[in-house]
Amino acid sequence: MKWLGFSASCCSPTPAVGHARRRPAALIPLAEQDRGRWDQASIKEGVALVTAALSRGRVGPYQLQAAIAALHAEAPHADLTDWPQILALYELLERLSPNPMVTLNHAVAVAMVRGPRAGLDMLATLDTDERMAKHHRLSAVRAHLLEMTGDTAAARAAYRTAARRTTSIPEQRYLEGRAARLTPADGRHGP
């Protein structure tokens, strides 16, 4: 069970990641964090624990989630993330433990490997899922992928929708900031 702690240390504001924050209560996406400030000794230990857990035989959803976290943590920079491997792990996780949050994250991995349109296609499957259709994370991921396609008007609208749906003030600020960054120079806000 020690490897579960590794997963948490990679993906939450704990000593391994907490130093990457620029200011209190500010949301800093994984891709924008200063990974050089992460606790490399904890990451190395966590990767070893995940590797040992994966080699023991039957793999479950927690091991897969920890392996995904380890791949993110091992990349010295976001651009060096092993997205094809992460995609393969999400494909396994989707078969082993299907749920809308797995599908959402799977869509991100699909987008990073096959392009944002492929990710958007996968997100569309969540639009009718009552557990996810009105969740702010679905709108936020859609916004990011629309931004990657160059559709800034649709991305701006999706960021604003996500900001309205979240109850987290830091997330609201971040999402509104992303929307504002996509506002045309003439000041027209669109939807």
Side-chain angles (χ1 to χ4, degrees), residues 153 156-157 160 179-180 182-184 186-191:
R156 183 174 55 251
R160 288 193 175 124
L182 297 175
T183 300
D186 64 10
R188 283 187 281 149
H189 294 280

Side-chain angles (χ1 to χ4, degrees), residues 1-9 45-54 56 58 60-63 65-67:
M1 293 296 273
K2 193 173 178 185
W3 54 270
L4 287 174
F6 166 68
S7 181
S9 74
E45 178 185 7
V47 169
L49 292 168
V50 170
T51 301
L54 291 173
R56 288 196 180 118
R58 191 167 182 173
Y62 294 118
Q63 290 93 340
Q65 291 172 28

Side-chain angles (χ1 to χ4, degrees), residues 15-169:
V17 178
H19 296 296
R21 295 192 176 275
R22 290 187 281 247
R23 62 184 185 271
L27 187 141
I28 302 174
L30 187 60
E32 297 173 21
Q33 292 183 17
D34 179 358
R35 294 171 184 218
R37 298 183 67 183
W38 289 3
D39 183 340
Q40 297 302 315
S42 292
I43 291 171
K44 185 176 179 179
E45 178 185 7
V47 169
L49 292 168
V50 170
T51 301
L54 291 173
S55 66
R56 288 196 180 118
R58 191 167 182 173
V59 174
Y62 294 118
Q63 290 93 340
L64 292 173
Q65 291 172 28
I68 291 165
L71 287 167
H72 282 293
E74 285 183 305
H77 188 272
D79 294 341
L80 299 175
T81 302
D82 188 350
W83 284 107
Q85 183 70 17
I86 289 172
L87 176 57
L89 290 169
Y90 270 116
E91 288 169 351
L92 288 171
L93 186 58
E94 188 95 54
R95 282 184 289 215
L96 190 61
S97 183
N99 68 67
M101 226 24 114
V102 169
T103 303
L104 181 77
N105 290 310
H106 186 185
V108 171
V110 165
M112 299 308 288
V113 174
R114 299 182 187 141
R117 290 276 176 220
L120 286 164
D121 289 345
M122 183 174 277
L123 285 184
T125 67
L126 295 172
D127 289 336
T128 57
D129 187 318
E130 291 178 8
R131 300 167 293 175
M132 198 67 178
K134 297 195 183 289
H135 199 290
H136 74 280
R137 289 192 178 112
L138 177 58
S139 296
V141 170
R142 178 171 284 120
H144 179 67
L145 299 184
L146 286 165
E147 185 177 356
M148 288 173 66
T149 69
D151 188 346
T152 57
R156 183 174 55 251
Y159 279 127
R160 288 193 175 124
T161 298
R164 281 191 308 272
R165 289 181 175 168
T166 186
T167 58
S168 164
I169 299 301

